Amino acid sequence: MSLIGSALISLYAAGTTLGAPALRLMLSRRVARGKEIAPRLPERRGIDAAPRPPGRLIWLHAASVGETISVLPLLQALATAPGTVLMTTGTVTSAALLARRLPELGLEGRVLHRFVPLDVPAWVARFLDHWRPDAAGFVESEIWPNLIIACRRRGIPLMLVNARLSARSFAQWQRLPCLARTLFGAFDRAQAQSEADAARLRRLGARHVSAPGNLKFAAPPLPADTTELARLRARVGDRPVWLAASTYQGEDTLVRRVHETLLPAHPGLLTILVPRHPERGAEIATLLAGLPVSRRALGEDPPEQAGIWIGDTLGELGLQYRLAPIVFVGRSLVPEGGQNPLEAARLGGAVAIGPHAFNFVEPVAVLRAAGALTEVADADALAAWVDALLRDPGRRAAMGRAGTEAASRHAGLPDEVTAMLLGLLHAR
């Protein structure tokens, strides 16, 4: 560790220690907003009453839902090895996802979920002293200085898993080259999503970097309740239907405009709108006032006639993708970076995104090259694209087939990455 890098880490550690009281207050306020779970707040300070399981423990950390979904196949592969897997995340939605998916995948008891402690030295130390991981993998771009340095000081081998580093983030890290080398150089190896990510990581000091592929291409299809799917398909029937998924604030009114533009040419049109944050359901219903609207969170089915069905529940995107063969993936008509288009493509959806999907450059490029994805510039272009696919079932089906095939590449990648993680154990 360079002197400058060490000094910057020390300053950061002192600042986070001084800020701990404010972080406690922030956590309490997040509980009131549904962003934290009150009985589990101690986990955010590294406190856990549950004993550490005996034997080997591998720790995997992912930020939120998207990253967690991408490592589900990795959890399955790791769970076949001796020992326990500890999975930490930072959001309530990711905890709810794991509470549902781990039993479905037969991983209950083999994979434990905890909330990651906030990056305060004392809280990190409590967490590591309690769990004593034998190796750790941080998913995508989870770079927490106190957590990383504490692992290194304890001799815990570290790996960056499915690492992603955008050009913008790379430029920001270049302003602090000594800190970057200290933190990225602390990892024993890095598995990057792409060669471009790998090149950036190497320039920042990462070691033993490889780019065998993107785990997002190996994720399983999103699940759906088959009985409920059959019921909803019968209700929807052969009506024209399209889906706006993972919409962000500012996009919902654009979806309304698309719906109203299409309606004269497509009587009975059903638009399914699934917000990125389900708690916005009531707010969105207000924005759609004057149209026939129903909300899944209130137990309401799609409107019987033309209208908009708001999918404001957690964990049902797999159900909604299966109902609609035409999908717009949101957070991309506004400059928020987009959402993962592979989830829709994997289930046979013809996919469109807006111009701001910069967080998913490789999946977008792969699907576009396969003829499975279209980029639309604005609401008018989106309306024209949906209209064209509603009129051309053959083109719609061809895009869906191409997407399913493209989204299924790298099926063997989870086993390869698992071998890398298990290989860290020999570094101890």
Side-chain angles (χ1 to χ4, degrees):
M1 187 185 299
S2 70
L3 289 177
I4 295 176
S6 179
L8 291 172
I9 291 292
S10 296
L11 283 172
Y12 175 81
T16 50
T17 298
L18 290 172
L23 291 174
R24 283 175 176 265
L25 180 60
M26 178 202 73
L27 287 171
S28 298
R29 289 176 174 171
R30 281 172 60 85
V31 169
R33 302 201 311 272
K35 299 291 187 180
E36 301 284 344
I37 301 172
R40 297 186 64 176
L41 278 186
E43 294 172 33
R44 300 295 255 156
R45 306 196 306 276
I47 301 169
D48 203 314
R52 180 197 187 277
R56 188 171 71 188
L57 186 141
I58 295 179
W59 168 35
L60 202 61
H61 172 63
S64 189
V65 170
E67 297 84 355
T68 302
I69 290 173
S70 74
V71 298
L72 287 177
L74 190 57
L75 293 179
Q76 290 179 282
L78 284 170
T80 63
T84 303
V85 180
L86 175 68
M87 180 79 205
T88 60
T89 63
T91 64
V92 170
T93 50
S94 58
L97 170 78
L98 286 168
R100 187 172 59 254
R101 295 304 305 276
L102 292 180
E104 291 174 353
L105 297 171
L107 298 178
E108 202 168 21
R110 295 300 309 277
V111 178
L112 306 178
H113 173 261
R114 292 295 186 273
F115 286 110
V116 71
L118 297 189
D119 204 34
V120 175
W123 300 357
V124 165
R126 276 200 296 256
F127 173 86
L128 293 176
D129 289 344
H130 177 75
W131 290 107
R132 304 185 310 280
D134 295 285
F138 292 1
V139 181
E140 293 207 8
S141 54
E142 285 294 277
I143 305 297
W144 296 103
N146 290 327
L147 202 51
I148 292 169
I149 297 304
C151 286
R152 291 307 299 171
R153 287 172 177 164
R154 285 166 169 76
I156 301 168
L158 295 174
M159 177 174 166
L160 265 175
V161 176
N162 216 39
R164 172 175 61 84
L165 192 68
S166 68
R168 183 169 64 178
S169 295
F170 174 68
Q172 291 170 343
W173 278 110
Q174 281 190 307
R175 296 171 189 161
L176 295 168
C178 293
L179 180 62
R181 283 195 298 272
T182 297
L183 294 177
F184 288 97
F187 289 90
D188 294 275
R189 69 177 308 150
Q191 173 251 322
Q193 292 186 9
S194 70
E195 288 294 347
D197 292 305
R200 294 179 190 123
L201 289 166
R202 292 187 190 103
R203 289 181 63 184
L204 292 178
R207 302 174 292 138
H208 305 296
V209 183
S210 61
N214 187 339
L215 278 171
K216 285 187 168 67
F217 285 97
L222 294 177
D225 182 284
T226 54
T227 302
E228 181 66 356
L229 177 60
R231 187 187 73 82
L232 287 170
R233 277 178 171 163
R235 181 174 177 85
V236 172
D238 59 358
R239 302 166 57 184
V241 55
W242 74 290
L243 165 64
S246 300
T247 60
Y248 199 74
Q249 192 167 8
E251 290 181 321
D252 309 300
T253 52
L254 301 180
V255 172
R256 174 179 182 147
R257 188 196 308 172
V258 172
H259 177 84
E260 291 176 325
T261 299
L262 295 171
L263 194 54
H266 302 281
L269 177 69
L270 173 63
T271 295
I272 304 174
L273 192 162
V274 181
R276 176 70 178 87
H277 300 290
E279 63 270 19
R280 295 183 55 241
E283 170 194 336
I284 293 169
T286 300
L287 292 173
L288 302 177
L291 293 173
V293 173
S294 59
R295 292 178 54 199
R296 179 69 168 171
L298 300 181
E300 298 171 346
D301 283 337
E304 292 185 3
Q305 305 301 320
I308 298 180
W309 188 40
I310 302 172
D312 51 347
T313 53
L314 282 172
E316 292 196 309
L317 196 51
L319 178 76
Q320 290 136 354
Y321 278 148
R322 286 173 172 88
L323 288 172
I326 301 170
V327 180
F328 164 71
V329 179
R331 289 189 79 205
S332 59
L333 282 175
V334 291
E336 292 293 329
Q339 287 296 124
N340 184 6
L342 293 169
E343 294 173 347
R346 194 171 284 117
L347 291 170
V351 179
I353 59 162
H356 304 293
F358 48 81
N359 285 336
F360 296 89
V361 172
E362 187 195 8
V364 167
V366 167
L367 292 178
R368 183 191 290 119
L373 178 144
T374 300
E375 183 175 312
V376 295
D378 51 30
D380 292 337
L382 176 58
W385 178 78
V386 175
D387 177 59
L389 291 193
L390 286 173
R391 295 174 185 274
D392 191 345
R395 177 186 169 194
R396 185 173 70 219
M399 288 186 72
R401 288 192 298 271
T404 298
E405 182 177 350
S408 300
R409 58 189 280 188
H410 298 315
L413 186 59
D415 289 335
E416 188 175 348
V417 178
T418 295
M420 294 180 192
L421 272 168
L422 294 177
L424 294 180
L425 297 170
H426 302 301
R428 295 207 67 167

